[in-house]
Amino acid sequence: MKTVITSSGENNLAQFDKRFGRAAWFCVFDEETKQTIFIKNKNINSSNGAGTMAAEQIVSMNVQKVISGDFGPKAKDLLDKFNVQMVIIQDNDITVQGIIEKLTK
Amino acid sequence: MSRPKTLRKVVAPPNFKGYKPYGTHTGTKDSVELLYEEYEAIKLADYDLMNHLEASKLMGISRPTFARIYETARRKIAKAFVEAIEIKTVYGDALLDKHWYVCDDCQTRFTIPKTIEEHQCPMCKSEQIELLNT
Ligand SMILES: [Zn+2]
């Protein structure tokens, strides 16, 4: 089972980014291996539809869960259609590592 | 400018990607595409045995629109049966009824896709979760 966490940086100590389509990085956490990999958000600078494109990118990575701060309506529809669980957390002050610790507790 | 399509609310999407005939000799690659809302129309009218008015209200569309979707759905299924071709379900203009939950213990909000069996918070594993009606 793989989970995407939207991240502001390229490593586990980076701050969680609440902006789904505009987060700089997607941290992909693999629950079996406990490994993380970081994938660049390709569409961070697109003027519109960043959320939809982020959702498409995530669907193509074959993950089952996305943790972010908000999802736009189109991103919601797309993730829902592909049975990706959406998780919204409101912590402003948490790192990617902090979220992973909660997930694996 | 093209007229925006009306989204039809689909309460439960089909539990399959498609149907394939077997024991046929035609070997055709042809298929019919059954939209989610067409599947839903068949389900409501012929499986849940609702009348068209009840079914149309549930899907948030007018009765004539429901009748049209239902008729198209039946014709597609009939075509697939008679011509022994595959039925593929496709998203169409359906608006899925998303269910959002909130965790009473950590306030995380989340969806539970049909592929997930446990009804618990994905962050803290609490089972004290509530359905949000938004
Ligand atoms: Zn919780």
Side-chain angles (χ1 to χ4, degrees):
Chain A
M1 168 118 162
K2 286 192 218 158
T3 300
V4 160
I5 302 162
T6 47
S7 170
S8 59
E10 203 189 349
N11 63 66
N12 288 11
L13 298 174
Q15 285 292 120
F16 166 55
D17 195 330
K18 287 166 77 173
R19 303 165 308 159
F20 173 67
R22 304 258 175 225
W25 296 88
F26 298 128
C27 167
V28 186
F29 172 64
D30 189 326
E31 262 175 47
E32 270 98 68
T33 63
K34 309 276 183 264
Q35 298 292 307
T36 53
I37 51 167
F38 286 79
I39 293 171
K40 216 180 181 111
N41 179 359
K42 292 184 289 191
N43 307 297
I44 186 170
N45 292 318
S46 66
S47 50
N48 53 47
T52 312
M53 287 184 277
E56 282 169 359
Q57 196 180 341
I58 280 165
V59 164
S60 73
M61 296 189 294
N62 198 20
V63 302
Q64 287 78 45
K65 192 192 289 187
V66 182
I67 300 174
S68 194
D70 201 16
F71 299 93
K74 283 182 183 161
K76 278 182 185 168
D77 277 351
L78 200 73
L79 294 169
D80 207 56
K81 178 183 160 190
F82 286 96
N83 295 315
V84 178
Q85 182 175 41
M86 289 170 268
V87 180
I88 296 177
I89 55 175
Q90 294 301 330
D91 296 43
N92 280 315
D93 248 319
I94 192 162
T95 59
V96 169
Q97 185 61 38
I99 292 173
I100 291 171
E101 278 163 18
K102 285 189 180 191
L103 280 176
T104 49
K105 216 169 19 194
Chain B
M1 212 173 101
S2 67
R3 197 165 56 97
K5 282 184 178 170
T6 323
L7 296 172
R8 287 82 190 234
K9 197 164 101 182
V10 168
V11 178
N15 286 320
F16 52 84
K17 287 209 173 90
Y19 271 95
K20 251 186 187 163
Y22 65 94
T24 63
H25 302 286
T26 50
T28 173
K29 287 267 180 285
D30 220 2
S31 65
V32 294
E33 291 194 332
L34 188 71
L35 306 180
Y36 275 20
E37 58 265 34
E38 290 167 349
Y39 159 84
E40 176 105 319
I42 294 276
K43 177 185 175 288
L44 296 178
D46 294 333
Y47 181 82
D48 297 329
L49 304 177
M50 283 185 190
N51 66 43
H52 286 194
L53 188 63
E54 291 168 330
S56 63
K57 279 184 179 159
L58 201 71
M59 288 178 73
I61 52 182
S62 70
R63 198 185 166 288
T65 302
F66 177 85
R68 196 164 39 81
I69 293 172
Y70 176 68
E71 193 57 38
T72 314
R74 290 184 72 130
R75 287 186 188 177
K76 284 183 179 177
I77 290 171
K79 180 181 161 73
F81 261 47
V82 173
E83 298 178 17
I85 55 180
E86 193 180 337
I87 300 171
K88 286 181 179 153
T89 55
V90 293
Y91 197 46
D93 299 327
L95 174 72
L96 294 182
D97 217 14
K98 285 178 284 293
H99 288 116
W100 283 87
Y101 294 82
V102 63
C103 171
D104 284 344
D105 290 325
C106 74
Q107 273 68 56
T108 292
R109 283 181 289 148
F110 55 97
T111 58
I112 302 182
K114 61 181 186 297
T115 43
I116 291 182
E117 307 230 306
E118 320 78 74
H119 272 230
Q120 62 179 28
C121 171
M123 293 305 295
C124 73
K125 314 273 192 296
S126 168
E127 286 180 1
Q128 304 302 312
I129 63 172
E130 255 179 83
L131 192 59
L132 286 169
N133 290 319
T134 50

